[in-house]
């Protein structure tokens, strides 16, 4: 397997941040009450991962070790701020649905972890691929959780009512733990 296929497979399956490493669970639990909300959060995390990985990889030789973590946080916070402005302008319903969880992307350990362990040590193309594959792995995980919670808690799939029997507990954040 070539190095690019390995990077993609690791991000999507082998080291899936949510299913395998149990990272980034705050956003996962909070935003997975419906499949569409989960998918929107997953794509948002993917965009931030891609952009922050690329920028950090480009700057990796210029960032002194003593300030690398604060620098990573500033880069990630800038990407999240730009994403928030774009969502507010172009997808206001998704922006409203994400609420407080959207700014929490800044402190998502998946993004900071990938910046520290991958983007700060690898070339741009590899870092971009890592950002996309890790983000898509997160998107799959949070969407699957949203499908399960929406079906069990509301009897629907992607907003379409399927059945009348529901277990409302799964619709709230505490239900996400199950």
């Amino acid at each position: 397997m070539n190095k690019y296929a390995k990077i993609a497979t690791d991000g999507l399956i082998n080291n899936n941040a949510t299913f395998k490493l149990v990272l980034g669970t705050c956003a996962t639990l909070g935003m997975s009450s419906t499949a569409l909300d989960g998918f929107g959060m997953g794509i948002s995390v993917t965009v931030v991962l891609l952009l922050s990985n690329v920028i950090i990889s480009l700057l990796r030789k210029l960032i002194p070790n003593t300030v690398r973590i604060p620098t990573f946080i500033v880069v990630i916070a800038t990407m999240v701020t730009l994403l928030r402005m774009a969502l507010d302008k172009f997808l206001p319903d998704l922006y409203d649905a994400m609420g407080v969880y959207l700014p929490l992307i800044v402190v998502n350990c998946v993004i900071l972890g990938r910046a520290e362990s991958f983007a700060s040590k690898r070339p741009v193309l590899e870092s971009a691929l890592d950002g996309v594959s890790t983000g898509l792995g997160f998107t799959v995980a949070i969407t699957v959780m949203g499908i399960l919670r929406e079906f069990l808690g509301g009897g629907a799939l992607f907003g379409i009512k399927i059945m009348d029997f529901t277990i409302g507990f799964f619709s709230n954040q505490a239900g996400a733990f199950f």
Side-chain angles (χ1 to χ4, degrees), residues 1-73:
M1 177 182 306
N2 71 35
K3 69 179 174 181
Y4 298 111
K6 181 171 178 4
I7 292 169
T9 305
D10 281 350
L12 286 166
I13 300 164
N14 296 339
N15 292 319
N16 185 295
T18 303
F19 287 150
K20 180 113 182 197
L21 304 176
V22 194
L23 296 174
T25 53
C26 179
T28 305
L29 297 176
M31 281 302 299
S32 64
S33 58
T34 70
L36 286 175
D37 288 350
F39 182 75
M41 177 56 90
I43 294 301
S44 297
V45 167
T46 302
V47 168
V48 171
L49 260 167
L50 169 63
L51 296 175
S52 61
N53 269 15
V54 166
I55 291 168
I56 289 166
S57 180
L58 285 169
L59 299 174
R60 73 183 188 279
K61 294 181 180 175
L62 302 174
I63 301 171
N65 265 354
T66 56
V67 295
R68 75 178 188 285
I69 299 297
T71 303
F72 298 164
I73 291 172

Side-chain angles (χ1 to χ4, degrees), residues 60-108:
R60 73 183 188 279
K61 294 181 180 175
L62 302 174
I63 301 171
N65 265 354
T66 56
V67 295
R68 75 178 188 285
I69 299 297
T71 303
F72 298 164
I73 291 172
V74 167
V75 169
I76 294 165
T78 302
M79 295 304 105
V80 170
T81 302
L82 293 172
L83 175 71
R84 287 181 67 193
M85 292 187 320
L87 288 176
D88 190 25
K89 173 82 174 163
F90 299 110
L91 297 168
D93 290 339
L94 181 60
Y95 176 81
D96 291 339
M98 289 184 177
V100 71
Y101 297 104
L102 185 56
L104 284 176
I105 293 174
V106 174
V107 293
N108 188 316

